[in-house]
Amino acid sequence: MRRKMIAGNWKMNKTLPEATALLTAIAEGLPADAAPGVAVVVCPPALYLVPALPLLRPGSAVLLGAQNCAQQAAGAYTGEISAAMLHSVGVTYVVLGHSERRHYFGETNALVAEKVRLALTNKLLPIFCCGESAAVRAHGDYLGFVKTQLSESLFHLSAEAFGNVVVAYEPLWAIGSGKPATAAQAQQVHAALRQHIAQRYGAAVAAATLILYGGSITPSDVDPFLCEPDIDGALVGGASLHAREFIALVRAAQRAVAGPAVVAAPVA
Ligand code: PEP
C-alpha cells in the first residue's frame, strides 16, 4: 500500500517570527512517531529554510521543501536559488510547476521539465503540480490537458528517476477559492493520471506513485479525498498556515492509513 503525504505550501506568507512560531508548533505537534505511514512536508519561503532546520530536528516527523528552484544549474542569475543550493542546506522536496509559477512567471511545461531534471540531478524530490483552469474544464478535455502537462514535464525521465517524483493535481478553479473539487472529481483525474503513468512506465511504477490533491483543502473536508483509491494525500496552501489545521490534516491522513479500528470479538 502507498503511504500518504500531507505537504504545506506557505507561498509568500509569514514574517520570520511568525514562521518560527508556526514551525515550532508544527514540530511539537508532530513528533517523529506521530504519523506512521504519512510523509509530512512543509514548504516555507526560501528565506526560512535554513532557520527552519534546527526547529524541525531532532525528533520531528516533518521534512522541508522549497517552493521553487532555478532553471539553471549555477552562475550569473541574480536572485535565483539553485537545486544544488537547496540540497546543500538540507532541503528534501521542491514544489515545481505550481499554477502560480505558471501564471505569474510564465513557466511552461518545457521549463518545468528542465527544473525537474535539475532537481533530481541534485537529489531533490520534486512535487510536480498540474491542473486545469475553469475554462479548460468547461471546454471538455481537461483530462487530456493534465495528461499533456505530465508527459511534457515528466516523461523524459527514466522509470527510476520518475519513481522520485510526487504528482499533485491542483485544479486552478479550486486553489484559494474556498471551494475544493469534490472527491469524485479529483479521483477521476487522479485515476486518469495514474493510468497515463502506467502507459509510459508500467503498472508497478504507476501503483507506487504518490498523487496528491490540492485546492482549498481543510480538515473538515479532507476525509472523503483520503478514502479515494487514487488520492494519496494533499498539497495544502491556506490551511497549512495554521498549525492546528495542518496537524489535523496529518492526523486525518494517519487515520486513513490506519484504516477502520479493529473491534475485538466479545469473549463468550
Ligand atoms: C496551492 O496553492 O497549492 C493550494 C492548494 O492552495 P489552497 O489550499 O489555499 O487552495
Side-chain angles (χ1 to χ4, degrees), residues 230-249:
D230 290 296
I231 301 181
D232 304 310
L235 178 56
V236 187
S240 74
L241 298 172
H242 308 282
R244 189 186 292 202
E245 289 192 40
F246 188 67
I247 291 166
L249 286 166

Side-chain angles (χ1 to χ4, degrees), residues 157-242:
L157 300 173
S158 67
E160 191 188 355
F162 186 89
N164 292 311
V165 176
V166 173
V167 173
Y169 168 59
E170 300 207 301
L172 277 59
W173 44 271
I175 291 180
S177 67
K179 291 189 187 138
T182 64
Q185 283 173 320
Q187 166 59 26
Q188 183 206 28
V189 179
H190 284 226
L193 290 173
R194 201 177 298 287
Q195 190 186 35
H196 194 48
I197 294 164
Q199 276 163 1
R200 168 69 178 86
Y201 292 110
V205 171
T209 302
L210 290 190
I211 308 181
L212 312 181
Y213 166 77
S216 295
I217 276 288
T218 65
S220 56
D221 49 36
V222 73
D223 288 332
F225 288 84
L226 295 169
C227 292
E228 293 289 348
D230 290 296
I231 301 181
D232 304 310
L235 178 56
V236 187
S240 74
L241 298 172
H242 308 282

Side-chain angles (χ1 to χ4, degrees), residues 62-74:
V62 184
L63 294 169
L64 267 187
Q67 297 175 16
N68 182 34
C69 72
Q71 68 196 79
Q72 302 87 2

Side-chain angles (χ1 to χ4, degrees), residues 14-156:
K14 305 288 178 190
T15 61
L16 179 59
E18 290 166 348
T20 303
L22 177 53
L23 276 168
T24 303
I26 290 172
E28 282 174 7
L30 297 172
D33 56 354
V38 182
V40 184
V41 184
V42 171
C43 305
L47 194 59
Y48 305 148
L49 289 167
V50 171
L53 277 166
L55 298 175
L56 297 177
R57 287 186 198 139
S60 163
V62 184
L63 294 169
L64 267 187
Q67 297 175 16
N68 182 34
C69 72
Q71 68 196 79
Q72 302 87 2
Y77 301 101
T78 302
E80 290 294 284
I81 299 175
S82 73
M85 290 173 182
L86 293 169
H87 179 255
S88 76
V89 300
V91 171
T92 306
Y93 287 91
V94 60
V95 176
L96 293 175
H98 192 279
S99 60
E100 287 150 17
R101 298 290 320 171
R102 294 174 188 267
H103 179 70
Y104 295 116
F105 303 97
E107 295 198 0
T108 60
N109 291 340
L111 184 139
V112 176
E114 180 57 11
K115 289 191 175 188
V116 166
R117 189 190 69 74
L118 282 165
L120 289 168
T121 304
N122 289 286
K123 302 189 174 64
L124 289 178
L125 306 176
I127 300 176
F128 167 78
C129 302
C130 59
E132 82 286 0
S133 65
V136 168
R137 179 163 275 256
H139 198 253
D141 191 20
Y142 53 94
L143 295 179
F145 182 87
V146 291
K147 285 196 260 185
T148 300
Q149 287 184 313
L150 218 72
S151 334
E152 292 188 358
S153 298
L154 298 180
F155 284 7
H156 59 299

